Amino acid sequence: MIAVEFRRAIPGAERLRVLPLIAGASPPRDVAPAARAARFTGEAGAVLDVPGTPRRLLVGLGAAPTPRAAETAGAAAALAAGAATEIALVADALDPALTAHLAGGIALGGWRFDALRTRDVPARLKRLVVHADDPAAVGKAHAALAPGVAGCLLARQLTAEPANRLTTRRFAERLEALEEE
């Protein structure tokens, strides 16, 4: 799973930024012209890649954001991020629970099975920094979701692994490693 950090500070200019937007709310001032030009409304799961430095992804949460819509938006942002290895989620005015679901969606969307690739392995998402007004509350909400996300990622990995590589012995070793965690 990717490393997740929680901060109050503003993200640095070198990191890709994910900016969640509730439908009907006005976008941040620096991306408002691009959002208007692209007719971005904040529909759930919609993504707008705003050019410039830093790279910004505006993601829609829908009119009445739900945890599922937040996870969908997070996964869409991770897929739109492409080969980015670090993402900054700027969720200043967002509810801590929704922010945690958005972070979980980014973790789920950033997963890839690369174990059998021998060349041209694309970079993968390694780190997510969540910038929020109350990082402790978001961290607490994320801690409640993290085991479910980790379990989902493990299930994906076990399902994608071919049977000639994932023998019963290796499967048992992985389960024993889980017991140690």
Side-chain angles (χ1 to χ4, degrees), residues 83-151:
T85 57
E86 290 188 20
I87 292 179
L89 172 58
V90 183
D92 295 334
L94 206 58
D95 177 61
L98 278 178
T99 304
H101 281 280
L102 197 56
I106 290 172
L108 292 170
W111 180 85
R112 267 196 318 269
F113 183 72
D114 293 332
L116 300 178
R117 289 188 182 211
T118 55
R119 61 182 178 291
D120 300 329
V121 179
R124 65 177 354 171
L125 182 61
K126 295 178 182 168
R127 186 169 169 225
L128 171 65
V129 181
V130 180
H131 298 272
D133 288 337
D134 189 0
V138 176
K140 185 176 178 181
H142 185 265
L145 294 175
V149 171

Side-chain angles (χ1 to χ4, degrees), residues 142-160:
H142 185 265
L145 294 175
V149 171
C152 182
L153 295 176
L154 175 66
R156 286 180 182 181
Q157 188 176 16
L158 293 175
T159 303

Side-chain angles (χ1 to χ4, degrees), residues 2 9 17 21 23 26 44 46 79 85 92 94 125 139 147 162 166 171:
I2 64 173
R17 296 179 186 185
L21 182 68
S26 52
L79 292 173
T85 57
D92 295 334
L94 206 58
L125 182 61
L166 184 63
F171 181 70

